[in-house]
Short mmCIF file of all heavy atoms in Angstrom, two decimals:
data_model
loop_
_atom_site.label_atom_id
_atom_site.label_comp_id
_atom_site.label_asym_id
_atom_site.label_seq_id
_atom_site.Cartn_x
_atom_site.Cartn_y
_atom_site.Cartn_z
N CYS H 1358 -5.82 -1.79 -3.29
CA CYS H 1358 -7.10 -2.10 -3.93
C CYS H 1358 -8.11 -2.72 -2.96
O CYS H 1358 -9.27 -2.93 -3.32
CB CYS H 1358 -6.90 -3.02 -5.13
SG CYS H 1358 -6.27 -4.64 -4.73
N ASP H 1359 -7.69 -3.02 -1.74
CA ASP H 1359 -8.59 -3.55 -0.71
C ASP H 1359 -7.94 -3.35 0.64
O ASP H 1359 -6.85 -2.78 0.74
CB ASP H 1359 -8.91 -5.03 -0.96
CG ASP H 1359 -7.66 -5.92 -1.00
OD1 ASP H 1359 -6.58 -5.46 -0.59
OD2 ASP H 1359 -7.78 -7.08 -1.45
N MET H 1360 -8.60 -3.78 1.68
CA MET H 1360 -8.10 -3.55 3.04
C MET H 1360 -6.71 -4.16 3.23
O MET H 1360 -5.80 -3.53 3.77
CB MET H 1360 -9.08 -4.12 4.06
CG MET H 1360 -8.80 -3.71 5.48
SD MET H 1360 -9.07 -1.96 5.75
CE MET H 1360 -9.33 -1.92 7.51
N LYS H 1361 -6.54 -5.39 2.77
CA LYS H 1361 -5.27 -6.07 2.95
C LYS H 1361 -4.13 -5.34 2.26
O LYS H 1361 -3.08 -5.07 2.86
CB LYS H 1361 -5.37 -7.51 2.40
CG LYS H 1361 -4.06 -8.29 2.52
CD LYS H 1361 -4.19 -9.66 1.86
CE LYS H 1361 -2.84 -10.38 1.87
NZ LYS H 1361 -2.91 -11.68 1.13
N SER H 1362 -4.32 -5.01 1.00
CA SER H 1362 -3.24 -4.35 0.25
C SER H 1362 -3.01 -2.92 0.74
O SER H 1362 -1.88 -2.43 0.74
CB SER H 1362 -3.52 -4.37 -1.25
OG SER H 1362 -4.75 -3.74 -1.56
N ASN H 1363 -4.06 -2.23 1.16
CA ASN H 1363 -3.88 -0.88 1.69
C ASN H 1363 -2.97 -0.90 2.92
O ASN H 1363 -2.06 -0.08 3.04
CB ASN H 1363 -5.23 -0.27 2.07
CG ASN H 1363 -6.06 0.13 0.85
OD1 ASN H 1363 -5.52 0.44 -0.20
ND2 ASN H 1363 -7.37 0.13 1.01
N LYS H 1364 -3.22 -1.84 3.81
CA LYS H 1364 -2.37 -1.96 5.00
C LYS H 1364 -0.94 -2.32 4.63
O LYS H 1364 0.03 -1.78 5.17
CB LYS H 1364 -2.94 -3.01 5.96
CG LYS H 1364 -4.21 -2.56 6.67
CD LYS H 1364 -4.70 -3.63 7.63
CE LYS H 1364 -5.90 -3.14 8.43
NZ LYS H 1364 -6.39 -4.17 9.38
N GLU H 1365 -0.81 -3.24 3.67
CA GLU H 1365 0.53 -3.65 3.24
C GLU H 1365 1.28 -2.49 2.61
O GLU H 1365 2.48 -2.32 2.83
CB GLU H 1365 0.43 -4.82 2.26
CG GLU H 1365 1.79 -5.35 1.84
CD GLU H 1365 1.72 -6.50 0.84
OE1 GLU H 1365 0.60 -6.96 0.53
OE2 GLU H 1365 2.79 -6.91 0.37
N MET H 1366 0.58 -1.67 1.82
CA MET H 1366 1.24 -0.55 1.15
C MET H 1366 1.74 0.49 2.15
O MET H 1366 2.82 1.06 1.96
CB MET H 1366 0.29 0.09 0.14
CG MET H 1366 -0.02 -0.76 -1.08
SD MET H 1366 1.46 -1.39 -1.95
CE MET H 1366 1.70 -3.00 -1.18
N ILE H 1367 0.99 0.71 3.20
CA ILE H 1367 1.45 1.66 4.22
C ILE H 1367 2.76 1.18 4.85
O ILE H 1367 3.71 1.96 5.02
CB ILE H 1367 0.36 1.89 5.29
CG1 ILE H 1367 -0.76 2.77 4.69
CG2 ILE H 1367 0.95 2.55 6.54
CD1 ILE H 1367 -1.92 3.01 5.62
N GLU H 1368 2.82 -0.09 5.18
CA GLU H 1368 4.06 -0.63 5.75
C GLU H 1368 5.21 -0.59 4.75
O GLU H 1368 6.35 -0.30 5.09
CB GLU H 1368 3.83 -2.06 6.25
CG GLU H 1368 2.87 -2.16 7.43
CD GLU H 1368 3.26 -1.24 8.57
OE1 GLU H 1368 4.43 -1.28 8.99
OE2 GLU H 1368 2.38 -0.48 9.03
N LEU H 1369 4.89 -0.86 3.49
CA LEU H 1369 5.92 -0.85 2.44
C LEU H 1369 6.49 0.55 2.25
O LEU H 1369 7.70 0.72 2.08
CB LEU H 1369 5.30 -1.34 1.13
CG LEU H 1369 6.25 -1.89 0.06
CD1 LEU H 1369 6.95 -3.15 0.55
CD2 LEU H 1369 5.48 -2.18 -1.22
N SER H 1370 5.63 1.55 2.31
CA SER H 1370 6.09 2.93 2.09
C SER H 1370 7.00 3.40 3.22
O SER H 1370 7.85 4.28 3.02
CB SER H 1370 4.89 3.87 1.97
OG SER H 1370 4.21 4.02 3.20
N LYS H 1371 6.83 2.82 4.40
CA LYS H 1371 7.71 3.17 5.52
C LYS H 1371 9.10 2.53 5.36
O LYS H 1371 10.10 3.06 5.85
CB LYS H 1371 7.09 2.69 6.84
CG LYS H 1371 5.80 3.42 7.21
CD LYS H 1371 5.20 2.80 8.47
CE LYS H 1371 3.87 3.46 8.84
NZ LYS H 1371 3.24 2.82 10.03
N LYS H 1372 9.11 1.42 4.65
CA LYS H 1372 10.35 0.65 4.53
C LYS H 1372 11.24 1.14 3.40
O LYS H 1372 12.48 1.06 3.50
CB LYS H 1372 10.00 -0.83 4.31
CG LYS H 1372 11.19 -1.77 4.34
CD LYS H 1372 10.74 -3.22 4.24
CE LYS H 1372 11.92 -4.17 4.28
NZ LYS H 1372 11.51 -5.59 4.18
N TYR H 1373 10.63 1.64 2.32
CA TYR H 1373 11.41 2.00 1.13
C TYR H 1373 11.19 3.46 0.74
O TYR H 1373 10.05 3.89 0.53
CB TYR H 1373 11.02 1.11 -0.05
CG TYR H 1373 11.33 -0.35 0.14
CD1 TYR H 1373 10.32 -1.27 0.45
CD2 TYR H 1373 12.64 -0.83 0.03
CE1 TYR H 1373 10.60 -2.61 0.62
CE2 TYR H 1373 12.93 -2.17 0.21
CZ TYR H 1373 11.91 -3.06 0.50
OH TYR H 1373 12.19 -4.40 0.68
N ASN H 1374 12.28 4.19 0.63
CA ASN H 1374 12.20 5.59 0.23
C ASN H 1374 11.63 5.77 -1.17
O ASN H 1374 11.01 6.79 -1.48
CB ASN H 1374 13.59 6.24 0.29
CG ASN H 1374 14.10 6.39 1.71
OD1 ASN H 1374 13.31 6.52 2.64
ND2 ASN H 1374 15.41 6.37 1.87
N GLU H 1375 11.85 4.78 -2.02
CA GLU H 1375 11.46 4.90 -3.43
C GLU H 1375 9.96 4.77 -3.68
O GLU H 1375 9.47 5.05 -4.76
CB GLU H 1375 12.17 3.82 -4.28
CG GLU H 1375 13.68 3.80 -4.14
CD GLU H 1375 14.16 2.77 -3.12
OE1 GLU H 1375 13.44 2.59 -2.10
OE2 GLU H 1375 15.22 2.18 -3.34
N ILE H 1376 9.24 4.29 -2.67
CA ILE H 1376 7.83 3.94 -2.86
C ILE H 1376 6.89 4.99 -2.28
O ILE H 1376 6.99 5.37 -1.11
CB ILE H 1376 7.51 2.57 -2.23
CG1 ILE H 1376 8.22 1.45 -3.01
CG2 ILE H 1376 6.01 2.31 -2.21
CD1 ILE H 1376 7.94 0.06 -2.48
N TYR H 1377 5.98 5.45 -3.12
CA TYR H 1377 4.82 6.24 -2.71
C TYR H 1377 3.60 5.36 -2.94
O TYR H 1377 3.65 4.41 -3.72
CB TYR H 1377 4.73 7.53 -3.51
CG TYR H 1377 5.85 8.49 -3.21
CD1 TYR H 1377 7.11 8.33 -3.79
CD2 TYR H 1377 5.66 9.56 -2.33
CE1 TYR H 1377 8.15 9.20 -3.49
CE2 TYR H 1377 6.69 10.44 -2.03
CZ TYR H 1377 7.94 10.26 -2.61
OH TYR H 1377 8.97 11.11 -2.32
N ILE H 1378 2.50 5.69 -2.28
CA ILE H 1378 1.36 4.78 -2.35
C ILE H 1378 0.03 5.51 -2.52
O ILE H 1378 -0.09 6.71 -2.25
CB ILE H 1378 1.27 3.89 -1.09
CG1 ILE H 1378 1.07 4.73 0.17
CG2 ILE H 1378 2.51 3.02 -0.97
CD1 ILE H 1378 0.75 3.92 1.41
N THR H 1379 -0.96 4.76 -2.98
CA THR H 1379 -2.35 5.21 -2.97
C THR H 1379 -3.17 4.19 -2.18
O THR H 1379 -2.81 3.01 -2.11
CB THR H 1379 -2.91 5.33 -4.40
OG1 THR H 1379 -3.19 4.03 -4.93
CG2 THR H 1379 -1.93 6.04 -5.32
N LEU H 1380 -4.26 4.66 -1.63
CA LEU H 1380 -5.17 3.80 -0.88
C LEU H 1380 -6.54 3.85 -1.53
O LEU H 1380 -7.04 4.93 -1.87
CB LEU H 1380 -5.29 4.28 0.58
CG LEU H 1380 -4.00 4.39 1.39
CD1 LEU H 1380 -4.31 4.92 2.79
CD2 LEU H 1380 -3.28 3.05 1.48
N GLY H 1381 -7.15 2.69 -1.70
CA GLY H 1381 -8.47 2.67 -2.30
C GLY H 1381 -9.08 1.28 -2.30
O GLY H 1381 -8.42 0.30 -1.93
N ILE H 1382 -10.33 1.22 -2.71
CA ILE H 1382 -11.03 -0.06 -2.86
C ILE H 1382 -11.43 -0.20 -4.31
O ILE H 1382 -12.22 0.60 -4.85
CB ILE H 1382 -12.27 -0.14 -1.95
CG1 ILE H 1382 -11.85 0.05 -0.48
CG2 ILE H 1382 -12.96 -1.49 -2.14
CD1 ILE H 1382 -13.02 0.20 0.47
N HIS H 1383 -10.87 -1.18 -4.96
CA HIS H 1383 -11.09 -1.46 -6.38
C HIS H 1383 -12.53 -1.94 -6.59
O HIS H 1383 -13.10 -2.60 -5.73
CB HIS H 1383 -10.10 -2.56 -6.80
CG HIS H 1383 -9.97 -2.79 -8.26
ND1 HIS H 1383 -10.92 -3.47 -8.98
CD2 HIS H 1383 -8.99 -2.45 -9.13
CE1 HIS H 1383 -10.53 -3.55 -10.25
NE2 HIS H 1383 -9.36 -2.93 -10.37
N PRO H 1384 -13.11 -1.61 -7.76
CA PRO H 1384 -14.50 -2.04 -8.00
C PRO H 1384 -14.71 -3.54 -7.94
O PRO H 1384 -15.83 -3.98 -7.62
CB PRO H 1384 -14.81 -1.49 -9.39
CG PRO H 1384 -13.49 -1.18 -10.02
CD PRO H 1384 -12.61 -0.79 -8.88
N GLU H 1385 -13.68 -4.33 -8.17
CA GLU H 1385 -13.87 -5.78 -8.09
C GLU H 1385 -14.11 -6.23 -6.65
O GLU H 1385 -14.52 -7.36 -6.42
CB GLU H 1385 -12.67 -6.52 -8.69
CG GLU H 1385 -11.40 -6.41 -7.89
CD GLU H 1385 -10.22 -7.13 -8.53
OE1 GLU H 1385 -10.30 -7.49 -9.72
OE2 GLU H 1385 -9.22 -7.32 -7.83
#
């Protein structure tokens, strides 16, 4: 939902097979 979480999600998706991710900036 923002720069911080987008970066974190990319790292998370590399670590866990079960996780897929989306990248975006939330309206808030």
Side-chain angles (χ1 to χ4, degrees):
C1358 65
D1359 58 14
M1360 191 67 158
K1361 179 185 175 185
S1362 58
N1363 287 332
K1364 288 181 175 180
E1365 184 181 355
M1366 291 308 93
I1367 286 177
E1368 294 308 309
L1369 202 65
S1370 69
K1371 294 175 183 177
K1372 187 175 180 180
Y1373 296 104
N1374 290 332
E1375 305 96 325
I1376 292 181
Y1377 293 80
I1378 62 171
T1379 75
L1380 303 178
I1382 301 171
H1383 192 284
E1385 69 181 14

